[in-house]
Amino acid sequence: MKANNTIQLYPLFFVLLLNLCSANVTAQPRIAVLDFELKDLTLKPGIAQEVERTASVKPMLEEELRKSGYEIVSIPMDTQAQATAGVGYLFDHHDIAAQLAQKYGANYVIVGRLHKPSFLFVYLMAHLIDVKQQRLVADYLSEVKGGEKKLTRKGVESLAVKVNDTFRGLK
C-alpha cells in the first residue's frame, strides 16, 4: 500500500517541479528607468513647464511598466548624476548606463530624453539597454503633440506598449 501511495505522488511532484521551472523562465525582468533629460531646441529653452513635464515622464513610465508586471529598480538621482559626464552622455553611452544599472541589480535599463524641436510637439525618446551585454536592445520614439499632461501620458503609454512588444519578441 505504501509503494502505491508513493507512485501516486510522483505525478504531483513532477507538476509542481514543472510549475517552478516555468515560473523562473517567465519571470519579468528587473528594469531601471533613469530620469529623462530635456533637449530643448526652441527659441526659449528650458522653460519651467517643459522641465516639469520632463521630470514627470520617468514616474509615469515606471507606473505603466509596473502595471505590466515588471519589477522596477530604483537608482538614486545623485548616483545617476555622478555617472553622467554631460547632457546626453548616458543616452549615448549604453555601456556606462548598463554598468550603473548593474550596480542596482537591474537586467535592463531605460535611458530617455524629451526632445523638443518645436513648441508644437515633443518626442519621447528611449533606449532599452541589456545590462549584462551592455548593448542597445531597442530604440523607441513616441511623438506628443501639445503640452497637456494627458497627452504626455498617452506618449508614455505608447512607450510602455513598445517595451512590452520588445520583451514579447525576446522570449
Side-chain angles (χ1 to χ4, degrees):
M1 196 72 143
K2 272 189 173 180
N4 195 17
N5 286 343
T6 304
I7 292 172
Q8 290 175 350
L9 291 176
Y10 280 120
L12 179 61
F13 176 76
F14 180 74
V15 169
L16 288 172
L17 185 61
L18 188 61
N19 283 339
L20 282 173
C21 290
S22 66
N24 288 334
V25 170
T26 60
Q28 293 285 42
R30 294 171 42 91
I31 302 174
V33 180
L34 300 183
D35 287 308
F36 276 56
E37 292 181 327
L38 174 60
K39 185 171 185 179
D40 192 341
L41 303 177
T42 64
L43 296 175
K44 291 185 177 181
I47 61 173
Q49 180 184 1
E50 287 307 322
V51 172
E52 184 179 317
R53 174 165 48 173
T54 304
S56 75
V57 174
K58 175 188 173 183
M60 281 193 269
L61 183 56
E62 288 176 334
E63 178 185 333
E64 291 301 317
L65 294 173
R66 274 191 196 95
K67 287 180 190 176
S68 297
Y70 299 103
E71 183 179 345
I72 302 302
V73 175
S74 180
I75 297 177
M77 181 56 191
D78 62 332
T79 304
Q80 180 181 335
Q82 288 173 355
T84 302
V87 176
Y89 186 77
L90 294 175
F91 191 80
D92 294 332
H93 292 86
H94 307 135
D95 56 333
I96 304 301
Q99 290 166 19
L100 173 63
Q102 189 173 34
K103 291 177 186 175
Y104 292 87
N107 305 113
Y108 293 87
V109 60
I110 295 176
V111 184
R113 168 183 289 162
L114 189 142
H115 182 75
K116 185 176 180 183
S118 163
F119 288 109
L120 303 175
F121 63 93
V122 298
Y123 294 115
L124 297 179
M125 304 167 72
H127 289 166
L128 177 66
I129 300 164
D130 181 317
V131 168
K132 186 175 183 180
Q133 297 180 21
Q134 296 186 1
R135 70 173 184 86
L136 181 68
V137 174
D139 184 16
Y140 307 117
L141 181 70
S142 184
E143 185 178 65
V144 177
K145 294 182 179 177
E148 296 177 36
K149 188 172 183 172
K150 67 181 181 179
L151 298 174
T152 302
R153 175 155 305 272
K154 288 288 184 196
V156 170
E157 289 170 355
S158 172
L159 286 179
V161 166
K162 292 172 184 180
V163 170
N164 285 327
D165 290 346
T166 298
F167 282 114
R168 272 191 223 101
L170 294 176
K171 289 183 181 181

